[in-house]
Amino acid sequence: MTDTLYYDRTEGAPAWPTLLMALDALGRTGGQGIDLGCGAGRDTLEMLRRGWDVLAIDREPLAIQRLLGQVQPDQVPRLQTRCARFEDCELPSADIINSAFALPFCPPDDFPRLWQRIDTALAGGGIFCGNFFGERDAWAGPELTIHRQDELERLFAGWRWLHFEVIDRQGTTARGRTKHWHLFSVVAQRP
């Protein structure tokens, strides 16, 4: 049984700031967006509101169900959903790939292949926006993909940084639990 608390607390929440920065950086209405680990759809819905075509991917059927329950009828033709592990999906060419708080949950052995697909999909000036967990995050462990800052700098070598922020503090999860967050918040444009 899927825990619905996460979706109850995030459904209807505003888009993450990194996505808004990415959309503003491109400075246009419309394009192709991909939302990896879309959850209840906060970022997918923002892209749809701004006229974008969106491929929303999440492995949880409830996430897709919650997202679809919020989509306006005129937006339906511009939305494609996949209920799958994003690390297993082929990614079409995109102008923006968003992954807010989801990439760390990609198994470490699958991350290099996933990142190659992200890099290829964004060829020609596309923007990645999202978050990576650092080694001091309370959830850091061998089952998650964890990065050090120098590893991220190598991962994004040659990209243009539009935003890079290190977050290292106590905070609360969407489920209301206290934890230590060590995050890297990224918006970067591929050459």
Side-chain angles (χ1 to χ4, degrees):
M1 185 170 116
T2 302
D3 175 15
T4 62
L5 181 59
Y6 172 80
Y7 301 107
D8 292 342
R9 292 195 174 182
T10 59
E11 187 174 315
W16 288 107
T18 51
L19 175 70
L20 299 176
M21 284 183 232
L23 290 168
D24 290 346
L26 285 173
R28 60 183 153 91
T29 301
Q32 177 63 55
I34 301 173
D35 196 359
L36 301 177
C38 65
R42 66 197 301 168
D43 292 333
T44 295
L45 293 168
E46 182 65 26
M47 286 188 272
L48 289 170
R49 276 192 288 275
R50 292 187 185 209
W52 285 70
D53 295 328
V54 183
L55 169 59
I57 304 170
D58 202 290
R59 69 180 178 188
E60 293 293 335
L62 184 57
I64 302 299
Q65 179 185 342
R66 292 285 185 106
L67 166 61
L68 291 173
Q70 300 172 79
V71 176
Q72 299 300 312
D74 65 316
Q75 298 170 338
V76 171
R78 293 185 286 107
L79 175 64
Q80 182 182 14
T81 60
R82 287 194 196 143
C83 187
R85 293 172 5 121
F86 55 69
E87 56 267 32
D88 296 333
C89 292
E90 291 303 315
L91 302 178
S93 294
D95 302 296
I96 290 178
I97 295 180
N98 176 68
S99 188
F101 298 92
L103 283 185
F105 296 99
C106 174
D109 288 344
D110 294 333
F111 184 81
R113 286 184 307 280
L114 171 62
W115 188 256
Q116 181 60 52
R117 286 196 302 276
I118 290 171
D119 184 67
T120 299
L122 291 173
I127 294 179
F128 172 84
C129 53
N131 308 97
F132 298 86
F133 288 178
E135 69 273 15
R136 292 186 301 279
D137 195 273
W139 292 344
E143 69 283 355
L144 297 182
T145 296
I146 304 300
H147 288 88
R148 294 186 321 267
Q149 185 169 337
D150 64 315
E151 291 172 331
L152 285 180
E153 289 167 358
R154 283 193 300 276
L155 193 68
F156 286 96
W159 293 52
R160 183 168 66 101
W161 292 103
L162 304 175
H163 168 79
F164 184 85
E165 180 182 6
V166 179
I167 298 162
D168 196 352
R169 65 172 181 258
Q170 288 296 110
T172 306
T173 69
R175 291 181 174 94
R177 298 182 184 126
T178 300
K179 74 173 283 269
H180 186 84
W181 291 100
H182 182 212
L183 302 170
F184 302 102
S185 176
V186 172
V187 181
Q189 188 165 25
R190 192 183 182 293

